[in-house]
Amino acid sequence: MREGDNLYSNCLLAINPDTGQLKWHFQFTPHDVHDWDANHVPVLIDAAVQGVLRKLVVVANRNAFFYVLDRQTGEFLLGKPYAKQTWAKGLDRKGRPIVLPGTEPTAQGTAVYPGLHGATNWASPAYHPKTRLLYVAAREEGTITYRATAAYKPGAYFSAGGMKGIPGVEPSGSVKAIEVTTGQVRWEFPLHSPPWGGLLATAGDLVFGGTNEGIFFALDAESGKMLWSFQTGGPVLANPVSYSSGGKQHVAIASGRTLLTFAIE
């Protein structure tokens, strides 16, 4: 109902820590009608884009597009889809989405990819300086979104519209390795269901992650091949961490109500 871009929603903000003043902003999804807020983990890297070494911030956004920005100026440098999306023709030269007609919620319901939960969510991605790849827990899940008129009643849940899954379509997920300077997906490791856990990349060329079905795994950072897995007995909805103790490197993960640690030999 509210027209316009709705600044500063769905934005990445650069704020001067000494003064609190806004230096620049970049909006991923103007006039968001699908709840694709931009509460992701931005990753800071230094790399050459089109032959020029820049200080970058890269984001695998909930709206299914991967973005590369100059973190000093906020200039849009690159944007490409990394997961299935049906709502935009692409991005223009300034990174603004070219929205396809007929993708907004309707009273009858409109099917769109990515769905309400996005092509990724809050879980942390992981960057490996050696491979120059960003590893993302991606969600392949569409939803049917509805538009309605909400009647406000004090104390009652207030929502105009809703969503449901697409009948006959089973959602899935994957770990995707994205080249940070091109936006190309180098490899993909399929998961049975859309993941909620984050990823960890190590100097030993491993990528750790977990599944809703309780599997904690390690992939080869270069190829995406599974090297090791362990059934934890509960859903993995957390981010792995690595630390050194007793002269050994360890990796830890929360699964269900249990914290598990493993020594990397």
Side-chain angles (χ1 to χ4, degrees):
M1 300 301 292
R2 188 172 62 244
E3 298 295 336
D5 289 354
N6 304 153
L7 287 177
Y8 289 89
S9 66
N10 300 71
C11 283
L12 184 64
L13 307 177
I15 299 173
N16 186 314
D18 296 321
T19 66
Q21 291 184 327
L22 178 67
K23 186 175 181 180
W24 57 260
H25 75 274
F26 181 85
Q27 189 172 45
F28 301 103
T29 313
H31 191 66
D32 176 24
V33 294
H34 299 288
D35 196 21
W36 293 328
D37 55 65
N39 294 328
H40 317 91
V41 179
V43 179
L44 308 182
I45 64 173
D46 295 343
V49 177
Q50 298 176 352
V52 180
L53 183 63
R54 291 178 180 257
K55 295 183 180 296
L56 307 173
V57 54
V58 300
V59 177
N61 194 267
R62 188 165 165 173
N63 68 11
F65 282 89
F66 171 74
Y67 296 82
V68 180
L69 309 176
D70 186 306
R71 71 173 182 263
Q72 295 181 306
T73 64
E75 179 187 358
F76 170 76
L77 302 175
L78 176 71
K80 289 187 178 181
Y82 66 92
K84 182 176 180 179
Q85 67 85 20
T86 60
W87 70 281
K89 183 180 179 180
L91 305 176
D92 67 16
R93 293 172 60 186
K94 293 186 176 181
R96 189 180 181 89
I98 306 169
V99 179
L100 291 169
T103 57
E104 290 197 359
T106 61
Q108 296 75 30
T110 303
V112 68
Y113 280 82
L116 174 73
H117 297 135
T120 193
N121 209 281
W122 60 270
S124 295
Y127 176 66
H128 196 321
K130 178 182 175 182
T131 63
R132 295 276 179 167
L133 296 174
L134 182 73
Y135 306 98
V136 178
R139 306 173 58 85
E140 302 290 352
E141 178 184 26
T143 54
I144 296 176
T145 54
Y146 296 89
R147 179 175 178 175
T149 301
Y152 173 67
K153 296 180 181 180
Y157 178 66
F158 185 71
S159 177
M163 54 80 67
K164 70 174 183 179
I166 300 176
V169 178
E170 186 70 22
S172 63
S174 64
V175 176
K176 296 195 177 187
I178 304 173
E179 296 178 356
V180 294
T181 56
T182 68
Q184 298 294 330
V185 175
R186 174 85 61 81
W187 56 255
E188 178 179 356
F189 180 78
L191 301 176
H192 178 68
S193 59
W196 285 109
L199 301 171
L200 167 72
T202 72
D205 297 332
L206 300 176
V207 176
F208 288 92
T211 73
N212 300 323
E213 294 75 33
I215 300 173
F216 187 47
F217 56 81
L219 307 178
D220 182 283
E222 286 279 5
S223 67
K225 178 182 177 181
M226 179 181 279
L227 303 175
W228 171 86
S229 65
F230 182 85
Q231 174 53 254
T232 65
V236 178
L237 311 178
N239 299 318
V241 297
S242 182
Y243 60 94
S244 179
S245 177
K248 290 185 177 182
Q249 195 70 22
H250 294 72
V251 62
I253 188 66
S255 170
R257 299 183 179 182
T258 305
L259 178 65
L260 299 97
T261 62
F262 304 86
I264 301 177
E265 299 292 345

